[in-house]
Amino acid sequence: MTAIGRRLVQEWAVSLGASRNHFDATFDLPSILMKLVRYPGQADAGQGVGAHKDPGILTLLLVEPSKAGLQVQSEGEWIDVPPAEGVFVVNIGELLEVATDRYLRATKHRVVSPEPGTERLSIPFFFNPSLDAEVPRIHLPAELAADARGVEQEATNVLGVRYGENLLKARLRAHPDVAQLHHPDLV
Protein backbone atom coordinates (compact mmCIF):
# COMPACT_ATOMS: atom_id res chain seq x y z
CA MET A 1 0.00 0.00 0.00
CA THR A 2 2.87 2.34 0.77
CA ALA A 3 4.36 1.64 -2.68
CA ILE A 4 1.01 2.48 -4.31
CA GLY A 5 0.78 5.69 -2.26
CA ARG A 6 4.32 6.75 -3.23
CA ARG A 7 3.64 6.02 -6.89
CA LEU A 8 0.42 8.04 -6.92
CA VAL A 9 2.08 11.02 -5.24
CA GLN A 10 4.98 10.88 -7.73
CA GLU A 11 2.63 10.65 -10.72
CA TRP A 12 0.54 13.55 -9.43
CA ALA A 13 3.71 15.65 -9.10
CA VAL A 14 4.71 14.93 -12.70
CA SER A 15 1.19 15.56 -14.04
CA LEU A 16 1.20 18.93 -12.26
CA GLY A 17 4.49 20.04 -13.82
CA ALA A 18 6.86 19.20 -10.95
CA SER A 19 9.65 16.67 -10.80
CA ARG A 20 8.79 13.07 -9.93
CA ASN A 21 10.67 13.41 -6.63
CA HIS A 22 8.99 16.71 -5.62
CA PHE A 23 7.40 15.17 -2.51
CA ASP A 24 9.96 12.41 -1.78
CA ALA A 25 11.66 14.11 1.18
CA THR A 26 8.24 14.71 2.72
CA PHE A 27 7.76 10.95 2.87
CA ASP A 28 11.17 9.90 4.24
CA LEU A 29 9.33 8.59 7.31
CA PRO A 30 5.71 8.41 6.19
CA SER A 31 2.90 8.48 8.67
CA ILE A 32 0.71 5.60 7.62
CA LEU A 33 -2.36 4.07 9.15
CA MET A 34 -4.63 1.27 8.02
CA LYS A 35 -7.77 0.36 9.89
CA LEU A 36 -10.92 -1.70 9.57
CA VAL A 37 -14.08 0.37 9.95
CA ARG A 38 -17.42 -1.29 10.71
CA TYR A 39 -20.66 0.60 10.21
CA PRO A 40 -23.57 -1.22 11.87
CA GLY A 41 -27.03 -0.89 10.35
CA GLN A 42 -29.33 1.70 11.88
CA ALA A 43 -33.11 2.04 11.67
CA ASP A 44 -32.96 5.67 10.57
CA ALA A 45 -30.14 5.12 8.04
CA GLY A 46 -28.35 7.94 9.82
CA GLN A 47 -24.79 9.04 9.89
CA GLY A 48 -22.09 6.40 9.73
CA VAL A 49 -19.42 9.09 9.68
CA GLY A 50 -20.08 12.77 9.15
CA ALA A 51 -18.96 14.93 6.28
CA HIS A 52 -15.23 15.66 6.40
CA LYS A 53 -12.03 15.97 4.42
CA ASP A 54 -8.97 13.93 5.34
CA PRO A 55 -6.22 16.14 6.80
CA GLY A 56 -3.25 14.59 4.96
CA ILE A 57 -2.25 13.83 1.39
CA LEU A 58 -3.89 10.63 0.26
CA THR A 59 -6.34 7.95 1.41
CA LEU A 60 -6.84 4.67 -0.40
CA LEU A 61 -10.13 3.06 0.54
CA LEU A 62 -11.16 -0.54 -0.03
CA VAL A 63 -14.94 -0.83 0.24
CA GLU A 64 -16.71 -4.10 0.86
CA PRO A 65 -18.19 -5.24 -2.47
CA SER A 66 -21.92 -4.54 -2.90
CA LYS A 67 -22.02 -2.27 0.20
CA ALA A 68 -23.15 1.24 -0.64
CA GLY A 69 -23.07 4.20 1.73
CA LEU A 70 -19.98 6.20 0.73
CA GLN A 71 -20.86 9.60 -0.71
CA VAL A 72 -18.72 12.46 -2.03
CA GLN A 73 -19.72 16.07 -2.35
CA SER A 74 -19.46 17.78 -5.71
CA GLU A 75 -20.74 21.31 -6.29
CA GLY A 76 -22.87 21.12 -3.14
CA GLU A 77 -24.54 17.82 -4.04
CA TRP A 78 -23.96 14.45 -2.38
CA ILE A 79 -23.18 11.72 -4.90
CA ASP A 80 -23.22 7.99 -4.12
CA VAL A 81 -19.95 6.19 -4.82
CA PRO A 82 -20.94 2.79 -6.16
CA PRO A 83 -18.92 -0.03 -4.60
CA ALA A 84 -16.75 -1.81 -7.14
CA GLU A 85 -14.88 -5.03 -6.57
CA GLY A 86 -11.09 -5.00 -6.87
CA VAL A 87 -10.61 -1.21 -6.88
CA PHE A 88 -9.59 1.44 -4.41
CA VAL A 89 -11.40 4.72 -3.90
CA VAL A 90 -8.74 7.45 -3.90
CA ASN A 91 -9.39 10.47 -1.68
CA ILE A 92 -7.26 13.56 -1.98
CA GLY A 93 -6.44 15.15 1.39
CA GLU A 94 -6.22 18.75 2.53
CA LEU A 95 -2.42 18.92 2.28
CA LEU A 96 -2.50 18.14 -1.45
CA GLU A 97 -5.07 20.91 -1.78
CA VAL A 98 -2.62 23.28 -0.05
CA ALA A 99 0.34 22.07 -2.15
CA THR A 100 -1.57 22.81 -5.38
CA ASP A 101 -3.23 26.07 -4.26
CA ARG A 102 -6.53 24.16 -4.51
CA TYR A 103 -6.06 23.10 -8.12
CA LEU A 104 -6.69 19.65 -6.65
CA ARG A 105 -9.46 19.75 -4.06
CA ALA A 106 -9.63 17.62 -0.96
CA THR A 107 -12.42 15.06 -1.23
CA LYS A 108 -15.30 15.95 1.07
CA HIS A 109 -17.01 12.67 1.90
CA ARG A 110 -19.32 10.94 4.35
CA VAL A 111 -20.82 7.51 5.01
CA VAL A 112 -24.52 6.84 5.43
CA SER A 113 -25.29 3.91 7.74
CA PRO A 114 -26.58 0.71 6.16
CA GLU A 115 -30.02 -0.78 6.71
CA PRO A 116 -30.84 -2.47 10.04
CA GLY A 117 -29.64 -6.05 10.30
CA THR A 118 -26.71 -5.37 7.96
CA GLU A 119 -23.29 -3.82 8.30
CA ARG A 120 -20.74 -2.18 6.06
CA LEU A 121 -16.99 -2.71 6.24
CA SER A 122 -14.30 -0.53 4.73
CA ILE A 123 -10.54 -0.49 5.00
CA PRO A 124 -8.95 2.95 4.67
CA PHE A 125 -5.19 3.31 4.22
CA PHE A 126 -3.93 6.78 5.06
CA PHE A 127 -0.63 7.67 3.33
CA ASN A 128 0.79 10.86 4.77
CA PRO A 129 4.09 12.62 5.39
CA SER A 130 5.90 12.46 8.70
CA LEU A 131 4.21 14.55 11.37
CA ASP A 132 6.77 17.37 11.23
CA ALA A 133 7.28 17.43 7.46
CA GLU A 134 6.42 20.62 5.61
CA VAL A 135 4.68 19.80 2.35
CA PRO A 136 6.26 21.74 -0.53
CA ARG A 137 3.98 23.69 -2.83
CA ILE A 138 3.95 22.92 -6.52
CA HIS A 139 4.52 25.85 -8.84
CA LEU A 140 1.86 24.97 -11.38
CA PRO A 141 2.29 25.64 -15.09
CA ALA A 142 0.32 28.72 -16.22
CA GLU A 143 -2.47 26.69 -17.84
CA LEU A 144 -3.09 24.79 -14.57
CA ALA A 145 -2.50 27.77 -12.29
CA ALA A 146 -5.33 29.60 -14.09
CA ASP A 147 -7.72 26.99 -12.66
CA ALA A 148 -6.27 27.01 -9.12
CA ARG A 149 -8.97 28.31 -6.80
CA GLY A 150 -6.78 29.32 -3.86
CA VAL A 151 -6.95 27.56 -0.52
CA GLU A 152 -10.11 28.26 1.45
CA GLN A 153 -9.32 29.10 5.05
CA GLU A 154 -12.18 28.77 7.49
CA ALA A 155 -12.02 29.92 11.11
CA THR A 156 -12.65 26.33 12.25
CA ASN A 157 -10.41 24.72 9.62
CA VAL A 158 -7.20 26.65 9.02
CA LEU A 159 -5.02 24.56 6.74
CA GLY A 160 -1.29 24.44 7.40
CA VAL A 161 1.60 22.89 5.50
CA ARG A 162 2.64 20.42 8.25
CA TYR A 163 0.79 17.14 8.51
CA GLY A 164 0.99 16.99 12.31
CA GLU A 165 -0.70 20.37 12.67
CA ASN A 166 -3.46 19.41 10.25
CA LEU A 167 -3.96 16.05 11.97
CA LEU A 168 -4.23 17.65 15.41
CA LYS A 169 -6.74 20.21 14.09
CA ALA A 170 -8.83 17.43 12.53
CA ARG A 171 -8.84 15.36 15.73
CA LEU A 172 -9.79 18.35 17.89
CA ARG A 173 -12.63 19.15 15.51
CA ALA A 174 -13.84 15.54 15.24
CA HIS A 175 -13.75 14.88 18.99
CA PRO A 176 -14.53 18.19 20.72
CA ASP A 177 -15.69 16.53 23.96
CA VAL A 178 -12.40 14.64 24.37
CA ALA A 179 -10.41 17.74 23.41
CA GLN A 180 -12.26 19.86 25.97
CA LEU A 181 -11.72 17.26 28.69
CA HIS A 182 -8.03 16.56 28.09
CA HIS A 183 -6.75 19.62 26.17
CA PRO A 184 -8.93 22.63 26.99
CA ASP A 185 -6.02 24.90 26.12
CA LEU A 186 -6.23 23.77 22.49
CA VAL A 187 -9.93 24.35 21.86
Side-chain angles (χ1 to χ4, degrees):
M1 296 298 294
T2 298
I4 292 170
R6 284 187 194 280
R7 175 80 188 270
L8 279 171
V9 169
Q10 289 172 340
E11 296 300 329
W12 277 333
V14 169
S15 70
L16 295 168
S19 68
R20 177 173 300 286
N21 64 353
H22 183 81
F23 293 112
D24 284 359
T26 312
F27 290 95
D28 281 345
L29 296 170
S31 178
I32 57 175
L33 172 67
M34 181 184 291
K35 60 185 180 177
L36 176 62
V37 182
R38 178 182 170 267
Y39 300 96
Q42 296 182 14
D44 62 0
Q47 173 183 311
V49 67
H52 68 284
K53 297 176 184 179
D54 295 338
I57 293 279
L58 163 68
T59 304
L60 299 171
L61 180 66
L62 182 62
V63 177
E64 185 178 9
S66 76
K67 299 290 182 159
L70 177 63
Q71 297 179 327
V72 296
Q73 190 175 54
S74 178
E75 299 181 23
E77 299 290 323
W78 287 104
I79 301 167
D80 292 322
V81 177
E85 195 163 340
V87 301
F88 290 107
V89 174
V90 178
N91 284 341
I92 294 171
E94 291 174 327
L95 283 181
L96 197 54
E97 184 173 305
V98 170
T100 66
D101 201 26
R102 202 166 168 246
Y103 176 77
L104 296 179
R105 291 183 293 168
T107 309
K108 189 169 191 175
H109 57 287
R110 68 183 184 185
V111 176
V112 177
S113 294
E115 297 295 320
T118 65
E119 65 180 19
R120 178 182 185 278
L121 300 175
S122 66
I123 305 172
F125 175 79
F126 302 94
F127 181 67
N128 295 303
S130 57
L131 291 172
D132 63 344
E134 191 169 306
V135 176
R137 292 186 183 260
I138 292 180
H139 299 289
L140 298 169
E143 64 273 12
L144 300 182
D147 291 329
R149 299 160 187 91
V151 176
E152 292 180 332
Q153 297 289 9
E154 303 167 18
T156 59
N157 189 27
V158 176
L159 301 179
V161 295
R162 284 194 173 77
Y163 174 59
E165 293 167 357
N166 261 12
L167 181 61
L168 176 61
K169 168 203 47 99
R171 294 296 183 256
L172 293 173
R173 194 175 60 225
H175 306 284
D177 52 340
V178 175
Q180 184 62 45
L181 180 64
H182 296 287
H183 303 285
D185 58 311
L186 298 177
V187 290

